[in-house]
């Protein structure tokens, strides 16, 4: 289905890596054994971005695309900083789920910006919207699985500690987020 | 034990810095995307394909300036140069092609409207003879961006969408 593919390609597009970077940062404190937390985090993020993707596509943009892009960079930075300050690895407190959901709202606006630019004028938006969102989801989950696999290799086979991975990924993500923010100012 | 620990921390800090610098070298773009939209429907009364083409204004500005060696055109702006419409018509004639029964149809340009974000160009292709399939080729902006996607929305009683890319620049639509 065309719209499913467009959603999948959009999130997997390496030139628009900010969404993937967020997922990477979000998952940094967790590994395969924390699959429950990961599932809930991804669910929270999905609820957030599905909501704004639909709302904004149907009723029009709430914030300008510049503000949204900046917001996305900020969500990455915030997540990375949160990871760095938190002593707990593999634990997710309720506030984290709430934050991820809120960040999802911002990412969804970014998705909507792209999605609406693809539409023609005489479109019933529902099926394309749904398919696009599912494509985004599948891309996200696929990426999350790849990250977990890489993590597993590093932690189980190369004896890297979860905490080191968490800091390393968060540090890298924070730096990139900073450059994105400076670039989008 | 203490010496090893402090060496370990020193090393991790250095590694952290090196890796962070590596990340920084990934140049941050403001998420540009390259998309064109073509809505096509067939007017059976007038026996012609009617097209509306949406392109991003800044991309159009660039491609017309490059293709026709022009200076600033200010497309859809207050100081738009008079030749813009005819340059656009020429560009679309070369990049948006409809063929029926293996014969290319000729593009008739109606005009355009738009703003600083995007422009909509309107054109039609006369097709007086009966046909069962039409081939649409849309290569707008491919020469500028290798990731350009041109979406074709074929409107009958429903809308069917196809994506044209540099790898697959044409599609054949079957008319019922």
């Amino acid at each position: 289905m065309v719209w499913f593919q467009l959603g999948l390609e959009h999130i997997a597009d390496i030139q628009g890596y900010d969404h993937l970077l967020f997922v990477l940062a979000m998952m940094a404190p967790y590994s395969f054994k924390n699959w429950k937390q990961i599932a809930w985090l991804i669910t929270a993020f999905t609820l957030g971005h599905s909501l704004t993707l639909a709302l904004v596509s149907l009723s029009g943009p709430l914030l300008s695309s510049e503000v949204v892009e900046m917001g996305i960079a900020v969500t990455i930075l915030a997540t990375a900083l949160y990871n760095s300050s938190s002593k707990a690895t593999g634990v997710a407190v309720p506030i984290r789920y709430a934050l991820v959901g809120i960040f999802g709202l911002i990412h969804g606006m970014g998705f909507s910006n792209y999605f609406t630019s693809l539409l023609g004028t005489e479109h019933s938006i529902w099926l394309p919207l749904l398919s696009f969102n599912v494509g985004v989801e599948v891309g996200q989950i696929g990426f999350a699985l790849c990250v977990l696999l890489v993590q597993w290799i590093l932690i189980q086979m190369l004896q890297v500690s979860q905490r080191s991975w968490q800091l390393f990924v968060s540090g890298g993500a924070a730096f990139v987020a900073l450059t994105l923010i400076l670039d989008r100012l | 034990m203490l010496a090893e620990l402090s060496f370990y921390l020193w090393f991790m800090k250095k590694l952290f810095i090196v890796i962070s610098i590596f990340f920084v070298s990934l140049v941050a773009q403001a998420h540009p995307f390259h998309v064109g939209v073509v809505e096509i429907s067939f007017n059976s009364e007038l026996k012609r394909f009617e097209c509306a083409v949406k392109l991003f204004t800044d991309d159009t500005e660039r491609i017309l300036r490059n293709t026709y060696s022009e200076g600033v055109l200010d497309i859809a702006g207050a100081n738009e140069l008079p030749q813009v419409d005819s340059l656009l018509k020429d560009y679309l004639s070369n990049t948006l092609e409809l063929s029926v029964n293996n014969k290319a149809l000729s593009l008739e340009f109606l005009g355009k409207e738009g703003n600083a974000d995007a422009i909509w160009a309107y054109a039609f292709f006369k097709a007086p003879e009966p046909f069962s399939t039409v081939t649409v080729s849309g290569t707008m902006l491919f020469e500028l961006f290798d990731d350009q996607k041109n979406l074709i929305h074929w409107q009958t009683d429903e809308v069917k969408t196809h994506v044209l890319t540099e790898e697959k620049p044409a599609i054949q639509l079957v008319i019922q």
Side-chain angles (χ1 to χ4, degrees):
Chain A
M1 219 255 137
V2 179
W3 290 103
F4 171 84
Q5 205 170 328
L6 286 166
L8 183 65
E9 282 169 10
H10 182 62
I11 199 166
D13 179 17
I14 206 71
Q15 286 184 329
Y17 56 79
D18 51 4
H19 300 293
L20 294 181
L21 190 60
F22 175 79
V23 173
L24 180 65
M26 178 179 84
M27 291 177 53
Y30 311 104
S31 60
F32 267 123
K33 64 179 192 285
N34 308 120
W35 61 271
K36 245 193 235 163
Q37 284 95 333
I38 294 174
W40 280 116
L41 284 171
I42 292 191
T43 302
F45 185 60
T46 299
L47 283 173
H49 80 66
S50 304
L51 190 64
T52 43
L53 170 59
L55 270 177
V56 172
S57 300
L58 289 166
S59 66
L62 275 146
L63 300 168
S64 78
S65 67
E66 288 84 22
V67 171
V68 172
E69 295 299 315
M70 172 71 76
I72 291 174
V74 169
T75 65
I76 301 170
L77 184 62
T79 303
L81 289 173
Y82 187 98
N83 288 349
S84 309
S85 70
S86 151
K87 291 245 165 33
T89 298
V91 171
V93 291
I95 187 87
R96 183 163 256 257
Y97 296 119
L99 275 176
V100 165
I102 292 171
F103 293 161
L105 293 174
I106 299 173
H107 283 250
M109 291 189 211
F111 291 140
S112 177
N113 188 27
Y114 176 75
F115 174 71
T116 50
S117 78
L118 302 176
L119 294 170
T121 50
E122 297 199 18
H123 250 124
S124 160
I125 208 176
W126 290 103
L127 189 56
L129 182 61
L130 186 64
S131 313
F132 183 82
N133 202 20
V134 172
V136 167
E137 256 342 278
V138 169
Q140 213 167 277
I141 291 172
F143 178 71
L145 287 173
C146 290
V147 168
L148 285 172
L149 193 63
V150 168
Q151 215 181 52
W152 184 84
I153 292 172
L154 284 173
I155 291 174
Q156 301 296 3
M157 297 182 60
L158 298 178
Q159 306 299 322
V160 174
S161 80
Q162 176 81 43
R163 182 72 186 148
S164 300
W165 163 264
Q166 181 176 335
L167 281 176
F168 156 68
V169 166
S170 301
F175 241 96
V176 177
L178 276 171
T179 64
L180 287 171
I181 288 170
L182 291 172
D183 203 62
R184 293 171 185 185
L185 268 173
Chain B
M1 221 316 263
L2 201 59
E4 278 144 40
L5 182 62
S6 56
F7 172 75
Y8 172 75
L9 289 172
W10 172 89
F11 179 74
M12 287 308 287
K13 270 196 208 137
K14 291 292 172 278
L15 186 66
F16 178 90
I17 291 169
V18 167
I19 305 292
S20 301
I21 290 171
F22 167 71
F23 271 116
V24 172
S25 71
L26 297 173
V27 177
Q29 303 266 333
H31 213 154
F33 48 87
H34 302 128
V35 162
V37 173
V38 184
E39 296 185 314
I40 309 183
S41 58
F42 185 67
N43 186 325
S44 45
E45 234 180 74
L46 296 173
K47 291 203 171 45
R48 62 187 200 187
F49 289 96
E50 294 170 346
C51 299
V53 183
K54 183 179 90 167
L55 298 171
F56 289 137
T57 306
D58 48 5
D59 296 344
T60 311
E61 174 91 26
R62 255 179 86 181
I63 196 63
L64 291 185
R65 287 172 65 173
N66 289 0
T67 311
Y68 302 103
S69 304
E70 292 270 353
V72 173
L73 293 166
D74 198 30
I75 299 179
N79 301 316
E80 183 185 285
L81 296 188
Q83 61 265 41
V84 165
D85 273 15
S86 86
L87 294 178
L88 186 56
K89 170 188 177 202
D90 199 68
Y91 184 68
L92 287 176
S93 303
N94 292 328
T95 51
L96 179 61
E97 288 165 349
L98 266 64
S99 316
V100 140
N101 301 332
N102 276 322
K103 247 177 32 191
L105 302 175
S106 112
L107 182 151
E108 318 261 353
F109 185 75
L110 285 166
K112 69 142 194 351
E113 57 186 358
N115 53 36
D117 290 322
I119 56 158
W120 279 98
Y122 304 101
F124 65 85
F125 297 79
K126 284 207 271 253
E129 285 152 33
F131 56 85
S132 56
T133 66
V134 53
T135 304
V136 180
S137 154
T139 59
M140 302 81 75
L141 294 170
F142 285 173
E143 63 271 51
L144 204 52
F145 305 117
D146 55 12
D147 63 338
Q148 174 82 14
K149 288 182 161 101
N150 290 329
L151 268 71
I152 308 292
H153 299 303
W154 168 236
Q155 290 165 340
T156 49
D157 48 0
E158 46 157 28
V159 181
K160 193 86 173 49
T161 300
H162 303 271
V163 181
L164 301 181
T165 57
E166 200 158 29
E167 293 80 37
K168 195 183 133 206
I171 186 94
Q172 198 176 59
L173 303 169
V174 180
I175 321 296
Q176 58 279 21

